[in-house]
Amino acid sequence: MATTTLDEVRAHPLPTVKSYAGLISWLKTTDHKLIGILYLVTSGLFFLIGGLEALIMRWQLATPEQHIVSPQVYNQLFTMHGVTMIFLVVMPVLVGFANYFLPLMIGARDIAFPRLNAMSYWLFLFGGLLLYFSLIEGTMPAVGWFSYANYWEQPYSFDNGPIFWAASLIILGAGSIATALNLIVTVVALRCPGMSLNKMPLFVWMVLVNSFLIIWAMPFLTADAILLLFDRLVGTHFFQPGQGGNVVMWEHIFWGFGHPEVYIMILPAFGMASEIIPVFARKPIFGYTFVAFSGVAIGFISFIVWAHHMFTTGLTVSEQAFFAASSMIIAVPTGVKIFNWLGTIWGGQIRWKTPMLFCVAFILQFTIGGISGVMFSVVPLDYASSDTYFVVAHFHYVLFGGSMFLILAGTYYWFPKMTGRMLSERLGKLQFWTIVIGFNVTFFPQHFLVAMPRRVYTYTNQAWTIENMMSTIGSLVIAFSIMILLFNIIKSLRSGERAGPNPWEAWTLEWLPPSPPPPYNFATTPTVRSRRPLWDLAHPEAPDWRFEGRESREGAVAVQRGATGGGSFPGGPDQVVRADARSIPSSRGASSVAAPYAPQPGARAVSPGGEIAVADRPAKRIEMTPARMLMLFFISSESIFFVSLIVMYSVYAFHFSSRQLEIPRTFWFSLALFASSGTLILAEKFLSRGNKRMFNVLLLSTIALGATFLIGQVTEYAKLYSENTKISSPGEFGTTFFTLTGFHGFHVFVGLVALTCILLLSRDWRPGHESPVKSVGYYWHFVDGVWVFIFSIVYLRTLL
């Protein structure tokens, strides 16, 4: 990349854009920073609602045999509090921070797909509102945040509350998956030159791992919610034991999501700690590689420990042993992080600012929660404490003392960058001490309520009064501390101290632009050579890259004096990040997303197909567009959804016969579907050669073959219905067969719609525009591949 001089940028000024002007601009924005703020504000409002629900429950439990609310209302509050805090507060708050800061940290001008990002926010908002619409109807769900099927199914529940729960979580899940896909592609495709995986900020690392957890865990919840809706509305009986269903199957699929969800709510917060602690200890993070890869290990192991939530459901001894061992093992990478943070603090020149105070309190409280968590991996102890307030104490020490304390640390740390104003340190420390006291007074006594069952609206045992009263008083102190925070935010927005670009003298790229950053983030795409690029700028005599032994000083980042960099760098809005001709080629951050904000002619371009390089070394480039990456990662998520349905069918297949299926007839229709993949591959080849006529012919053939398969499926359904085999028929064959093949048929239909759109829009295409075709092609081949498994399990199995 050629060197960009200060004079060149002044000759080609950036466009003037008002980023915070008016309500309409917020409603229609696609700026990742504004969307991040929308997430944070909306989640904050839901936090106040969820906190009010918790206060009412604590009021009810303050003393024995109170009747502040009825048992039914208490169950509704319990459910809404859990769902709100998990799905409407902790998850979206972390997504909000990731939305705002991840592109800045990797030197990108925006997120990979801005419109998809905006859609994700609106799905989150309307999913949350849908959940609370149940209040208007007067039937809030009263089934717990986990909504076990035996609470759901009739005749145990007749109101519509559970339907709101399921519909809301399906929408929230779709938005979460869309956001996670967007963040993954952004990290993979849009990192600035020089930022290899080994140089990414640890917050970016944890968000990346977290995003993979979301796209692979959320489909389990989506599948469970859909199957519950089918049981309730369509007449299936997946989870109705009286009609052949299995309630425990719900738990297996749900906790396939539920345990990774625990780490979805904490991994980005771990990343926050790994960014904040080094800045206030004035030391690089101790053991960067261990911190990064321990996060990867946590993500992997989290998928194989789900049944430690199910020790009391009758698992075999060998199953209990496996899940007990895996539950103990997952504590190891978490412990590694604790020691890395302590190693960073040890010997540091610590500045006891509010963000650092919250981080230290987090380490202490999360360690307590982690110790009690390891206890649950011991099966006898789990049996003894299952569904008691000891579990409630553990859960809140991990998520409130862990995630929420780090969210508060991140709020104090990044508030100056988002607003340009400092939060009051005096009020911040007052809030810190009140919430630490309130939190521990609330939840520490609950460790001693190991005999008190959770989810009860009242109690008669006088021996539990002191602990419950302390918990209620502590919850009021927490509420007071939150009021201090709100006052601090409002006061600082109006008259807070001006922050400047880098008030904490931090080292990562988000502190390089002004505060708040302009819409385009960076005047020119920065080039980095180490994990602490702003340190390199401030200390050219001893940059990090020199001690890493990677390159000579000539390849380091250089910044024109007078830049808008961070910390002590003086100057105004004319900052330019320079890189000499030996810099890594401009393969990061070059996408059509950045094109509208290009500050001068000669900015990096992409090929007509939008291909960009995603490899770290130019000699091993992999040509791949962000759209194609997005589709591939989406396919991996959809695969988990189909795995859930296939496992469900396979479990029930032992109990029924499907001999009535006509294998030869279905085989011929299946051949049409398989052949459609071949015609689509040929169509792509002809398009790449510029032969549009053959491309259109073969694409039309693909559509015709796919439609033939769907027609065959519909006629088979008609035949089965004529034989009185329906989705609601007694036994599990109709329930599982129509659900599994029906969802596959729906995916075929979606693929046909996409292929038809490509056919209608292809008249202006030319060689180099294959990317949309290839993206849809990936999806179509995936649908064909899934049918191979379904045909084998559903049809060919009957031949055995």
Side-chain angles (χ1 to χ4, degrees), residues 20 271 600 623:
Y20 301 94
Q600 72 278 329
E623 297 300 324

Side-chain angles (χ1 to χ4, degrees), residues 655-776:
H655 306 293
F656 62 75
S657 172
S658 54
R659 297 281 180 184
Q660 63 265 49
L661 299 176
E662 297 183 8
I663 299 176
R665 179 179 179 278
T666 305
F667 174 74
W668 291 111
F669 283 110
S670 300
L671 281 182
L673 183 64
F674 299 147
S676 68
S677 276
T679 56
L680 184 57
I681 291 172
L682 290 174
E684 293 174 8
K685 291 184 179 296
F686 279 106
L687 178 63
S688 64
R689 297 171 186 169
N691 191 335
K692 285 183 57 181
R693 181 176 177 278
M694 284 303 299
F695 167 73
N696 289 331
V697 169
L698 289 167
L699 186 58
L700 189 60
S701 300
T702 302
I703 295 170
L705 289 168
T708 300
F709 170 79
L710 272 187
I711 291 170
Q713 194 170 38
V714 170
T715 56
E716 181 178 36
Y717 284 3
K719 176 181 176 296
L720 289 172
Y721 263 68
S722 68
E723 297 172 354
N724 207 31
T725 301
K726 303 176 181 179
I727 194 170
S728 57
S729 298
E732 286 301 315
F733 170 68
T735 287
T736 55
F737 171 79
F738 285 109
T739 301
L740 177 58
T741 58
F743 269 107
H744 177 266
F746 173 73
H747 280 70
V748 173
F749 175 76
V750 171
L752 289 176
V753 171
L755 291 171
T756 303
C757 292
I758 285 177
L759 182 65
L760 296 175
L761 297 173
S762 64
R763 64 180 182 272
D764 297 326
W765 289 358
R766 58 186 183 276
H769 284 81
E770 300 92 348
S771 186
V773 180
K774 289 185 179 295
S775 298
V776 175

Side-chain angles (χ1 to χ4, degrees), residues 127-149:
L129 292 177
L130 178 62
L131 179 68
Y132 276 90
F133 283 162
S134 61
L135 176 62
I136 299 174
E137 190 183 289
T139 57
M140 289 193 300
V143 290
W145 78 270
F146 39 78
S147 189
Y148 280 172

Side-chain angles (χ1 to χ4, degrees), residues 515-653:
S515 300
Y520 46 82
N521 289 352
F522 300 97
T524 58
T525 302
T527 298
V528 301
R529 287 292 177 271
S530 77
R531 296 168 187 157
R532 300 195 299 167
L534 267 63
W535 170 275
D536 295 345
L537 299 176
H539 302 86
E541 74 287 352
D544 271 2
W545 57 263
R546 170 177 288 178
F547 299 100
E548 293 171 7
R550 296 294 178 86
E551 298 182 12
S552 68
R553 180 173 180 176
E554 300 169 73
V557 177
V559 172
Q560 292 280 9
R561 290 297 175 181
T564 60
S568 59
F569 304 136
D574 295 323
Q575 180 176 14
V576 180
V577 178
R578 300 177 55 196
D580 68 16
R582 298 174 52 193
S583 299
I584 292 177
S586 307
S587 60
R588 304 270 185 216
S591 76
S592 57
V593 174
Y597 306 122
Q600 72 278 329
R604 292 176 293 172
V606 293
S607 70
E611 284 81 3
I612 60 176
V614 298
D616 283 3
R617 292 184 176 87
K620 296 183 179 180
R621 283 190 176 184
I622 301 173
E623 297 300 324
M624 180 70 69
T625 66
R628 287 156 67 181
M629 289 183 204
L630 185 81
M631 181 58 71
L632 288 173
F633 291 126
F634 172 71
I635 287 170
S636 73
S637 181
E638 285 292 276
S639 299
I640 302 298
F641 177 79
F642 275 108
V643 165
S644 301
L645 298 182
I646 290 172
V647 167
M648 183 75 70
Y649 181 91
S650 301
V651 169
Y652 289 130

